[in-house]
């Protein structure tokens, strides 16, 4: 730990002496805690961090229109366009890798549920399913099922370790939540939680914000902080010790995510890829998602703000969008690639600006909760490593089956608890109908079998991941049955149903 005089010297050279303005008001314990926090910062780089934050916030997004091209077809696989034999080949390769303990999943879970209006991590959120399951429970059960299916296919006893990157804000509540719920049936030794770094939030004139009189206002360094966190926490060594060679990396907020998807894993492994990304066709030219594309021949994700509307609206001869590969933060990496990025490239990642409403202590010591953005948070993005890949591939999937993010509170037009809940219930309703089931509505009448997702499904049907990972195995349980609403098919109910 640095001494007070050393900290004063560093802060003075960085133009941040105000950080200690309330020092005389702190207790001995508070002073000690504050010195520990300040000693943990890279004080030598603080001046540069503040200057770069102000410069980046004042800059306009660079337009890349003259240099942008779609990813060429030879590097793209598709669930939509591939023949059945190819899909089976990819799936079988994926199951093989899973069964031999070469696949892990890595969850990016550093963000809080602030935009959802809750003070806890997003993974603990219940979107209102009949079962009341949270995102963490749904994902835990999908891992259990994928292990079970791989064991049945290859007569093995495999493990898919789950690496969960948290932040200072989410680590403790996430650990407690998993312990309180007995890790949702997973072996705790196979759930590895680690913490990403935090960096100071900065005002528009380059001053570090104080959260309290003896604490800096900190923020996670974005999901691109993964690569430094892998080094800090020695997670790469853990992966190597387990024999994990391939990682499926994803964000916590997608309720439809297919963890360790055998098709995706198998496609990437078959192509010898070191880096891959799932994509969905953009819903419209103006949809605010990043594009997986090439800029000057190099694959990267371009933010929607970095291209002009006329570029986004370009269409091919068949009327399809030329730039349609929407990024959904759902990636494949080899462990060797992650190791290379963490050791050689993570310092080169682009810094992105986020203007935020950051609660702070003013010069009089009063706590202020701002009504408009007052601070700059610098973030790195996980996908900014794509240019370092030697063999990048993209994998096109069906949006309605694999992508429904949870970002906003109900009342917003998209990406809310209601839209996430509807997406999952519609998916399960489609699975049940495809398995040959019928439904009766709340009045005992046969429910319609339409399968559009503009509103709530005509009946509420929820199928536990422990029963079916992606719709498989349901025909034996449901064919010819007339089911009530709501209908929850969990493990107990599945055992009680007569198999056909």
């Amino acid at each position: 730990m640095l001494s007070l005089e050393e900290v004063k010297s560093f802060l003075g050279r960085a133009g941040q002496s105000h950080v200690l303005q309330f020092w005389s008001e702190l207790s001995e314990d508070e002073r000690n805690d504050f010195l520990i926090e300040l000693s943990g910062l890279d004080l030598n780089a603080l001046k540069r961090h503040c200057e770069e934050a102000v410069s980046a916030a004042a800059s306009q997004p660079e337009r890349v229109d003259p240099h942008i091209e779609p990813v060429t077809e030879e590097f793209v696989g598709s669930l939509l366009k591939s023949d059945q034999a190819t899909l089976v080949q990819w799936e079988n390769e994926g199951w093989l890798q899973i069964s031999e303990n070469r696949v892990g999943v890595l969850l990016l879970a550093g963000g809080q549920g602030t935009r959802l209006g809750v003070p806890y991590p997003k993974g603990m959120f219940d979107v209102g399913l009949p079962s009341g399951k949270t995102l963490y429970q749904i994902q835990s059960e999908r891992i259990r099922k994928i292990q079970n299916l791989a064991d049945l296919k290859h007569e093995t006893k495999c493990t898919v370790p789950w690496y969960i990157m948290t932040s200072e804000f989410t680590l403790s509540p996430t650990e407690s939540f998993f312990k309180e719920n007995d890790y949702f049936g997973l072996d705790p030794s196979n759930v590895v939680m680690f913490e990403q770094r935090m960096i100071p939030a900065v005002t528009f004139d380059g001053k570090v914000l104080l959260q309290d009189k003896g604490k800096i206002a900190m923020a996670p360094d974005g999901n691109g902080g993964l690569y430094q966190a892998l080094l800090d926490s020695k997670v790469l060594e853990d992966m190597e010790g387990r024999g994990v060679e391939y990682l499926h990396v994803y964000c916590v907020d997608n309720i439809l995510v297919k963890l360790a998807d055998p098709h995706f894993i198998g496609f990437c492994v078959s192509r010898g890829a070191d880096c891959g990304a799932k994509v969905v066709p953009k819903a419209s030219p103006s949809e605010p998602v990043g594009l997986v594309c090439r800029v000057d021949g190099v694959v990267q994700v371009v933010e929607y703000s970095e291209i002009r509307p006329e570029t986004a609206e370009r269409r091919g001869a068949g009327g399809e969008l030329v730039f349609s590969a929407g990024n959904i933060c759902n990636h494949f990496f080899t462990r060797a690639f992650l190791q290379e990025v963490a050791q050689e490239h993570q310092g080169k990642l682009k810094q992105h600006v986020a203007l935020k409403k950051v609660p702070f202590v003013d010069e009089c010591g009063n706590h202020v909760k701002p009504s408009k953005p007052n601070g700059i948070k610098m973030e790195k993005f996980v996908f900014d490593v794509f240019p370092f890949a030697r063999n990048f591939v993209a994998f096109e999937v069906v949006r309605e089956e694999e992508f429904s993010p949870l970002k906003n509170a109900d009342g917003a037009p998209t990406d809310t608890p209601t839209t996430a809940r509807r997406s999952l219930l519609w998916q399960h309703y489609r699975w049940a109908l495809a398995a040959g089931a019928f439904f009766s509505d709340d009045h005992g009448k046969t429910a319609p079998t339409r399968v559009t997702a503009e509103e709530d499904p005509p009946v509420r049907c929820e199928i536990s991941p422990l029963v079916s990972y992606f719709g498989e195995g349901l025909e034996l349980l449901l064919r010819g049955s007339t089911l009530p609403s709501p209908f929850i098919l969990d493990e107990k109910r599945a055992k009680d149903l007569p198999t056909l």
Side-chain angles (χ1 to χ4, degrees):
M1 185 173 73
L2 299 176
S3 69
L4 177 60
E5 292 307 313
E6 288 173 318
V7 168
K8 281 182 177 179
S9 176
F10 278 117
L11 291 175
R13 292 199 298 272
Q16 304 295 330
S17 297
H18 69 284
V19 167
L20 294 174
Q21 64 186 302
F22 300 111
W23 183 261
S24 63
E25 300 178 34
L26 302 179
S27 68
E28 281 301 316
D29 286 344
E30 288 170 335
R31 290 178 179 184
N32 188 62
D33 290 343
F34 201 15
L35 273 183
I36 290 172
E37 178 185 52
L38 292 169
S39 298
L41 296 177
D42 186 350
L43 292 173
N44 283 312
L46 185 60
K47 185 174 188 291
R48 185 176 71 250
H49 168 72
C50 295
E51 291 173 346
E52 289 178 350
V54 172
S55 175
S59 302
Q60 295 296 317
E62 181 182 353
R63 301 287 185 178
V64 298
D65 301 72
H67 313 282
I68 188 173
E69 302 172 285
V71 176
T72 54
E73 288 296 318
E74 64 184 297
F75 298 108
V76 180
S78 177
L79 280 180
L80 304 166
K81 302 168 187 173
S82 301
D83 60 72
Q84 189 61 31
T86 300
L87 293 175
V88 169
Q89 177 187 346
W90 291 339
E91 184 181 20
N92 288 341
E93 179 65 34
W95 285 122
L96 176 63
Q97 299 299 331
I98 293 167
S99 73
E100 295 185 346
N101 299 312
R102 296 195 185 114
V103 177
V105 291
L106 197 159
L107 167 59
L108 305 172
Q112 294 173 291
T114 308
R115 285 165 63 184
L116 294 170
V118 297
Y120 48 79
K122 275 187 184 180
M124 293 165 57
F125 196 84
D126 168 11
V127 300
L129 294 171
S131 67
K133 289 180 181 178
T134 62
L135 296 178
Y136 279 148
Q137 181 171 357
I138 293 168
Q139 293 168 23
S140 299
E141 292 180 353
R142 286 179 184 153
I143 293 174
R144 289 173 59 189
K145 186 62 174 179
I146 204 82
Q147 292 175 157
N148 176 256
L149 290 172
D151 289 344
L152 290 173
K153 289 177 183 294
H154 287 275
E155 298 182 348
T156 57
K157 185 64 177 174
C158 72
T159 296
V160 177
W162 195 10
Y163 299 95
I164 302 177
M165 185 178 79
T166 64
S167 69
E168 176 184 298
F169 301 132
T170 61
L171 177 59
S172 179
T174 298
E175 286 180 330
S176 297
F177 190 68
F178 273 77
K179 288 175 182 175
E180 290 164 6
N181 289 280
D182 296 321
Y183 288 79
F184 303 103
L186 291 168
D187 183 339
S189 67
N190 297 324
V191 180
V192 181
M193 298 184 194
F194 62 105
E195 193 173 340
Q196 69 185 109
R197 286 188 176 184
M198 307 286 286
I199 55 177
V202 179
T203 64
F204 297 133
D205 58 356
K207 297 298 182 182
V208 169
L209 284 161
L210 289 176
Q211 176 181 315
D212 288 303
K213 292 180 178 180
K215 186 170 179 58
I216 288 177
M218 305 286 280
D221 56 355
N223 56 31
L226 167 67
Y227 309 106
Q228 182 64 54
L230 290 174
L231 290 179
D232 292 343
S233 58
K234 302 190 182 304
V235 165
L236 289 166
E237 287 91 331
D238 183 272
M239 293 172 181
E240 184 177 15
R242 294 172 185 266
V244 171
E245 298 293 338
Y246 309 112
L247 279 301
H248 178 205
V249 178
Y250 70 99
C251 278
V252 69
D253 58 10
N254 181 10
I255 198 169
L256 298 181
V257 64
K258 289 180 68 179
L259 289 88
D261 175 12
H263 283 105
F264 185 38
I265 299 295
F267 165 70
C268 293
V269 172
S270 297
R271 291 293 187 92
D274 54 359
C275 176
K278 281 191 178 184
V279 297
V280 297
K282 285 187 67 174
S284 69
S286 60
E287 183 183 12
V289 296
L291 280 172
V292 178
C293 57
R294 295 187 300 161
V295 178
D296 291 329
V298 178
V299 174
Q300 64 185 69
V301 173
V302 171
E303 291 298 294
Y304 59 92
S305 59
E306 296 175 333
I307 60 173
R308 300 182 188 280
E310 53 267 32
T311 302
E313 291 165 5
R314 279 175 52 190
R315 294 186 181 272
E320 74 284 356
L321 289 173
V322 171
F323 298 106
S324 65
N327 176 50
I328 60 173
C329 197
N330 200 313
H331 308 312
F332 167 94
F333 298 117
T334 63
R335 178 176 54 80
F337 179 70
L338 288 177
Q339 186 91 41
E340 178 185 330
V341 168
Q343 293 179 335
E344 300 177 22
H345 302 306
Q346 60 94 12
K348 307 171 190 174
L349 296 187
K350 178 181 177 181
Q351 293 274 6
H352 300 263
V353 173
L355 305 183
K356 300 285 189 179
K357 292 182 282 189
V358 183
F360 68 101
V361 170
D362 66 16
E363 62 273 10
C364 298
N366 300 312
H367 285 88
V368 180
K369 200 169 185 179
S371 58
K372 60 182 181 180
N374 66 311
I376 306 165
K377 294 183 178 181
M378 302 296 287
E379 301 175 328
K380 296 177 182 179
F381 292 160
V382 67
F383 53 70
D384 282 332
V385 300
F386 290 179
F388 305 122
R390 294 180 179 83
N391 187 7
F392 175 89
V393 294
F395 192 62
E396 186 181 40
V397 297
V398 181
R399 176 189 293 261
E400 291 75 16
E401 299 294 347
E402 297 205 35
F403 183 55
S404 183
L406 175 64
K407 297 185 180 297
N408 307 309
D410 275 326
T414 59
D415 302 342
T416 65
T418 294
T419 60
R421 180 178 65 252
R422 283 177 177 169
S423 295
L424 190 72
L425 294 181
W426 268 111
Q427 181 185 65
H428 292 184
Y429 183 58
R430 290 192 297 270
W431 289 356
L433 293 178
F438 300 93
F439 286 92
S440 58
D441 62 20
D442 294 337
H443 305 289
K445 297 180 180 179
T446 301
T449 56
R450 60 186 176 86
V451 287
T452 61
E454 298 171 358
E455 300 175 349
D456 287 330
V459 297
R460 288 178 295 158
C461 169
E462 182 183 352
I463 299 169
S464 168
L466 298 174
V467 175
S468 184
Y469 171 74
F470 203 66
E472 80 291 331
L474 295 177
E475 188 172 346
L476 289 173
L477 296 170
L478 302 180
R479 179 162 49 89
S481 301
T482 299
L483 307 173
S485 174
F487 177 72
I488 301 176
L489 183 56
D490 55 20
E491 279 191 300
K492 181 179 184 306
R493 195 162 193 172
K495 291 175 181 177
D496 292 341
L497 287 172
T499 54
L500 303 173

